[in-house]
Amino acid sequence: SIMGNHDAWYLSKLIARERMALDSASSSASSLAPGAQPRLGESAEFESVRQQHSLLAPSNVGWGRRDFEALPLSVVGGRPLSSGGASLERHARMYSSLWGVRGAEESAAVIAKHVRAAPPGAATVMLAHNGPSGLGSARDDICGKDWGGGGGGDWGDEDLRLALSDVTGVPVVIFGHMHDRLQGGGQRSMVCRGADGRLYVNGARVPRWRTAPSGCGVERLFTMVDLEQSSGGWAAARVEQVWALPDGRVTEREPLWSVDDEVEQIRQSRSQDKREQNVA
């Protein structure tokens, strides 16, 4: 898992509500709830975020890595709590206080370090909350800004782009944050092949849950990426989104991308180009 921008935002709101409730309670409740002091915002220590990350340390990969030897799979995390755009600069005090990371270059160095330390032979994938910059600036691009004056603009993370440009052996980058439904109408491109040859997958489809057809319980949405190994290393083979019940049963599948479809599209495009050349 990796923390997103709302993990910090809503934590601070929760703490504020707890403080208001405590202030209005009887005088016997004279101390704040654990973790509520110091709070987010102007606090130099950001202790609430620190505690949250400590509690989730076994699964959190933000600026880190988890290795699953039995698969074999290595998951490297991007910058935690990203909200895209200039969020690294906007929250510089928090990142500096909690992690000692200052600026895009230092963040990129931390990410790249964990990629290079991944076990040899493992499939190494990148998991981030927001995608990297450099994947387009149209409002419907995979990290395109779709709000504010008609939208448009690259809202990707520059530090993640820098890290990826400095490493090899990462065939897939998986992230979210940029929702599939665009403000003002339209649909975002959720899978793209980057100029660096990597596959970029955005899993931020909303809503993420729905009532089961039986009316009892809920189904949740998952983005599935299949990797295959060949003599050239690991590569993505298929991407699909599935709706599943709590017991793991899949109720619906929606293919998003496959390498076979990509190859066929390239073949058709080349055939069309050849026909146009012959006509000319």
Side-chain angles (χ1 to χ4, degrees):
S1 65
I2 187 165
M3 299 298 164
N5 53 304
H6 283 189
D7 290 304
W9 171 253
Y10 285 122
L11 182 64
S12 66
K13 292 296 183 183
L14 174 62
I15 291 166
R17 288 197 297 269
E18 287 179 343
R19 175 165 295 176
M20 290 176 63
L22 288 166
D23 288 344
S24 62
S26 65
S27 58
S28 60
S30 59
S31 61
L32 290 173
Q37 178 71 24
R39 61 183 179 86
L40 292 175
E42 293 305 315
S43 169
E45 295 301 323
F46 303 100
E47 187 61 28
S48 301
V49 176
R50 189 194 310 276
Q51 291 184 17
Q52 183 182 41
H53 278 252
S54 297
L55 289 170
L56 297 171
S59 63
N60 183 21
V61 297
W63 271 332
R65 189 186 77 251
R66 286 202 71 195
D67 301 321
F68 303 85
E69 297 179 2
L71 294 179
L73 174 69
S74 184
V75 181
V76 177
R79 170 166 49 93
L81 306 175
S82 172
S83 58
S87 58
L88 180 57
E89 292 77 15
R90 288 197 304 271
H91 306 299
R93 289 182 58 240
M94 179 182 70
Y95 287 123
S96 174
S97 174
L98 292 179
W99 289 279
V101 174
R102 299 170 178 82
E105 290 76 14
E106 290 190 14
S107 174
V110 173
I111 298 168
K113 176 188 69 175
H114 286 290
V115 173
R116 297 189 186 100
T124 302
V125 301
M126 182 70 66
L127 177 64
H129 180 64
N130 190 54
S133 59
L135 298 179
S137 57
R139 63 189 299 271
D140 60 349
D141 281 331
I142 195 167
C143 290
K145 179 174 176 282
D146 61 307
W147 62 90
D154 189 340
W155 201 250
D157 288 344
E158 177 67 7
D159 53 338
L160 184 55
R161 184 195 69 80
L162 290 173
L164 291 167
S165 69
D166 196 36
V167 297
T168 59
V170 181
V172 181
V173 181
I174 305 168
F175 53 92
H177 186 57
M178 305 296 284
H179 293 181
D180 60 334
R181 297 179 182 179
L182 303 177
Q183 292 192 21
Q187 191 77 14
R188 184 179 305 281
S189 298
M190 302 301 279
V191 180
C192 78
R193 177 75 73 178
D196 55 6
R198 294 185 173 98
L199 192 70
Y200 292 87
V201 180
N202 182 346
R205 179 176 173 179
V206 291
R208 302 176 182 88
W209 65 273
R210 66 188 184 189
T211 303
S214 64
C216 299
V218 298
E219 299 175 344
R220 298 193 181 277
L221 183 68
F222 297 89
T223 300
M224 312 290 288
V225 180
D226 290 343
L227 300 174
E228 293 183 352
Q229 188 178 26
S230 66
S231 58
W234 291 92
R238 287 167 296 279
V239 180
E240 64 177 351
Q241 289 187 324
V242 302
W243 288 96
L245 294 165
D247 61 8
R249 285 180 294 158
V250 173
T251 61
E252 183 181 341
R253 294 181 181 272
E254 181 183 348
L256 298 183
W257 175 92
S258 75
V259 68
D260 292 338
D261 289 344
E262 184 179 71
V263 170
E264 178 61 20
Q265 290 173 3
I266 293 173
R267 187 193 68 79
Q268 292 181 6
S269 177
R270 288 176 176 173
S271 296
Q272 179 66 25
D273 290 344
K274 187 174 181 179
R275 287 193 295 270
E276 293 176 354
Q277 290 174 0
N278 290 338
V279 171

